[in-house]
């Protein structure tokens, strides 16, 4: 995968509808966040930033054709970009959770088992609920759990390692 293909091509012809190429410095989307101030603000995210973020993630946490990543975040959340595009650029499989499926830990645990999911992302309070779902005890396919958006307690990190020994737990905040 070459980043220059990602940053300036958005159709097979490499042209937008009006016939101009998409450039790395052009706006890809605006992410609205409350940030640490609690006051809503728009963060401008350019194509180059999206590409760099995906390349960093692939270098730090490589995905490949054998991996299966759950996409469950609503598209208005920054992590949705990673859940959807990171597997696709790496040849991995994207497992689409049903709408609002991220709110049902039992459903997610069953999805992980049925689809042999290898990678997932949670905010800490949903990770805790996922661990508490009885079906999560039967999960054996996970190799990495990502967590972000808020602080991760030591007790929750311990609970993850107890439930899923050998599974890498990565705590991070969003790309904004």
């Amino acid at each position: 995968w070459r980043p220059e293909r990602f940053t300036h091509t958005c159709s097979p012809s490499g042209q937008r509808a009006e016939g101009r190429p998409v450039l790395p410095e052009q706006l890809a989307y605006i992410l609205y966040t409350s940030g640490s101030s609690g006051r809503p603000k728009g963060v401008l995210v350019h194509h180059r930033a999206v590409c760099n973020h995906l390349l960093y993630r692939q270098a730090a946490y490589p995905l490949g054709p054998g991996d299966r990543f759950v996409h469950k975040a609503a598209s208005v959340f920054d992590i949705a970009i990673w859940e959807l595009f990171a597997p696709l650029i790496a040849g991995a499989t994207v497992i689409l959770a049903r709408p609002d499926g991220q709110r049902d830990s039992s459903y997610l645990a069953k999805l992980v088992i049925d689809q042999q999911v290898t990678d997932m992302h949670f905010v800490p309070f949903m990770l805790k609920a996922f661990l508490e779902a009885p079906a999560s005890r039967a999960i054996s396919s996970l190799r990495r759990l990502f967590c972000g958006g808020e602080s991760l307690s030591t007790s929750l990190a311990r609970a993850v390692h107890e439930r899923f020994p050998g599974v890498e737990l990565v705590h991070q905040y969003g790309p904004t």
Side-chain angles (χ1 to χ4, degrees):
W1 183 66
R2 295 192 328 247
E4 64 274 10
R5 288 196 341 219
F6 177 76
T7 59
H8 69 78
T9 303
C10 63
S11 73
S13 67
Q15 302 294 310
R16 292 189 347 195
E18 60 270 16
R20 292 181 299 205
V22 177
L23 302 172
E25 61 274 5
Q26 288 178 313
L27 185 64
Y29 63 92
I30 300 174
L31 175 70
Y32 287 91
T33 177
S34 63
S36 58
S37 69
R39 186 171 175 212
K41 63 182 177 210
V43 177
L44 305 177
V45 183
H46 298 88
H47 284 272
R48 180 183 318 277
V50 173
C51 182
N52 286 341
H53 184 75
L54 291 170
L55 286 173
Y56 161 75
R57 295 265 191 165
Q58 180 60 14
Y61 313 107
L63 294 169
D67 290 310
R68 302 173 67 77
F69 203 116
V70 173
H71 174 57
K72 59 183 176 44
S75 62
V76 297
F77 293 109
D78 54 4
I79 203 65
I81 299 296
W82 183 50
E83 285 183 350
L84 183 59
F85 293 111
L88 294 178
I89 67 167
T93 300
V94 177
I95 305 298
L96 299 174
R98 71 177 188 222
D100 288 326
Q102 76 276 12
R103 299 171 194 243
D104 183 345
S105 296
S106 294
Y107 160 76
L108 285 177
K110 185 171 176 2
L111 181 69
V112 170
I113 293 165
D114 292 348
Q115 295 296 322
Q116 292 296 288
V117 170
T118 60
D119 297 77
M120 290 185 80
H121 181 274
F122 289 96
V123 293
F125 82 92
M126 288 305 301
L127 178 57
K128 182 178 185 304
F130 180 73
L131 291 178
E132 292 170 353
S136 73
R137 298 182 201 291
I139 293 172
S140 62
S141 60
L142 282 176
R143 71 180 187 110
R144 277 192 299 232
L145 282 171
F146 298 92
C147 198
E150 58 191 51
S151 61
L152 176 68
S153 70
T154 303
S155 61
L156 181 54
R158 253 188 249 124
V160 168
H161 291 301
E162 288 170 10
R163 172 64 49 88
F164 303 118
V167 170
E168 181 180 11
L169 175 63
V170 179
H171 183 247
Q172 58 202 356
Y173 279 89
T176 58

